[in-house]
Amino acid sequence: MRKEEKGVPDFWLNAMKNHEILAEEIQERDEEALKYLKDIKWYRITEPKGFKLEFHFNTNPFFKNEVLSKTYHMIDEDEPILEKAIGTEIEWYPGKSLTQKVLKKKPKKGSKNTKPITKIENCESFFNFFSPPQVPDDDEEIDEDTAEQLQNQMEQDYDIGSTIRDKIIPHAVSWFTGEAAQDEDFDGIMDDDEDDEEDEDEDEDDEEDEDDDDGDKKVWKPLRVVSCSC
């Protein structure tokens, strides 16, 4: 039984579930743990450049950590390119991991071993967010298919992180009530606000206007590919 806490029950869980991208990441088995989430914060970091997300939890029966963090290191170029992401190692209590499932299989008939065979497999979970894709070293070469798969994973990971930073945290109440999800223009309004803030920091010349049209879709670090020029 959960200890009664101040604040709106399940506030952040429901705010995230009302966003299409995050709703796909949250599994039913994750929800009980996410009910202990009491706050999400983000900070800009300068060395190296990037940003950090912090998920603050009340004491819960799933893991020991009070704070789970995710840090995004960016390459400072003309457009934001993700170099790597680093997540907190979750200290799960025995048998409480939500990122793994235990499978028990009955032994074959006639087998001397009468005990069930236990196998542990990784499974889908929102908490996999804290175990981001690992970027190979600069001198490590990988094949083209692996590079493409890794880049897609990094892009998806950054998309989730930037969604939490730019949409969920500053407009949490609107996502909790469902107003943001029901308003088709809501995302557009937020994107316009972000573009306005970026424009204030940029010089007004044609070259930079063209860069703005490209957006920030390329968010991964170029990888070395065997027999292929990235």
Side-chain angles (χ1 to χ4, degrees), residues 66-221:
E66 293 183 0
V67 180
L68 300 180
S69 66
K70 180 74 169 287
T71 305
Y72 289 89
H73 293 177
M74 312 300 295
I75 298 175
D76 187 25
E77 296 185 352
D78 293 336
E79 57 186 25
I81 297 179
L82 177 62
E83 180 180 15
K84 64 179 178 179
I86 301 173
T88 298
E89 182 177 351
I90 303 177
E91 299 179 68
W92 298 103
Y93 288 116
K96 293 294 186 178
S97 175
L98 296 170
T99 60
Q100 294 180 329
K101 58 183 178 181
V102 179
L103 303 177
K104 291 187 177 181
K105 186 178 179 181
K106 293 182 179 180
K108 294 181 180 180
K109 290 183 178 181
S111 174
K112 294 181 179 180
N113 183 13
T114 58
K115 294 183 179 180
I117 300 173
T118 301
K119 184 179 180 182
I120 298 177
E121 288 187 355
N122 295 330
C123 61
E124 293 185 0
S125 169
F126 172 80
F127 291 93
N128 286 325
F129 176 68
F130 300 99
S131 299
Q134 295 298 305
V135 180
D137 297 332
D138 290 337
D139 58 351
E140 184 178 347
E141 294 183 342
I142 57 178
D143 61 74
E144 187 173 0
D145 290 341
T146 302
E148 183 178 359
Q149 182 181 13
L150 180 56
Q151 289 176 343
N152 289 337
Q153 291 173 344
M154 292 175 67
E155 183 176 8
Q156 182 181 8
D157 181 67
Y158 179 84
D159 193 22
I160 295 170
S162 60
T163 293
I164 294 172
R165 178 195 64 183
D166 299 333
K167 302 184 187 302
I168 300 300
I169 293 177
H171 305 281
V173 173
S174 294
W175 285 108
F176 172 76
T177 61
E179 175 189 357
Q182 295 171 4
D183 189 348
E184 295 180 358
D185 297 328
F186 195 83
D187 273 358
I189 292 172
M190 289 190 292
D191 289 339
D192 289 342
D193 290 343
E194 292 164 17
D195 290 341
D196 290 341
E197 291 178 4
E198 290 177 1
D199 289 342
E200 291 176 2
D201 298 331
E202 295 178 349
D203 295 328
E204 296 180 355
D205 58 67
D206 293 339
E207 230 177 78
E208 289 182 349
D209 286 342
E210 290 176 2
D211 289 340
D212 288 343
D213 291 339
D214 292 338
D216 61 350
K217 294 180 180 178
K218 293 182 180 178
V219 295
W220 58 85
K221 177 183 177 182

Side-chain angles (χ1 to χ4, degrees), residues 42-46 48-52 165 197:
W42 81 275
Y43 307 91
R44 193 181 306 278
I45 57 176
T46 55
K49 292 184 179 296
F51 66 95
K52 181 178 184 179
R165 178 195 64 183
E197 291 178 4

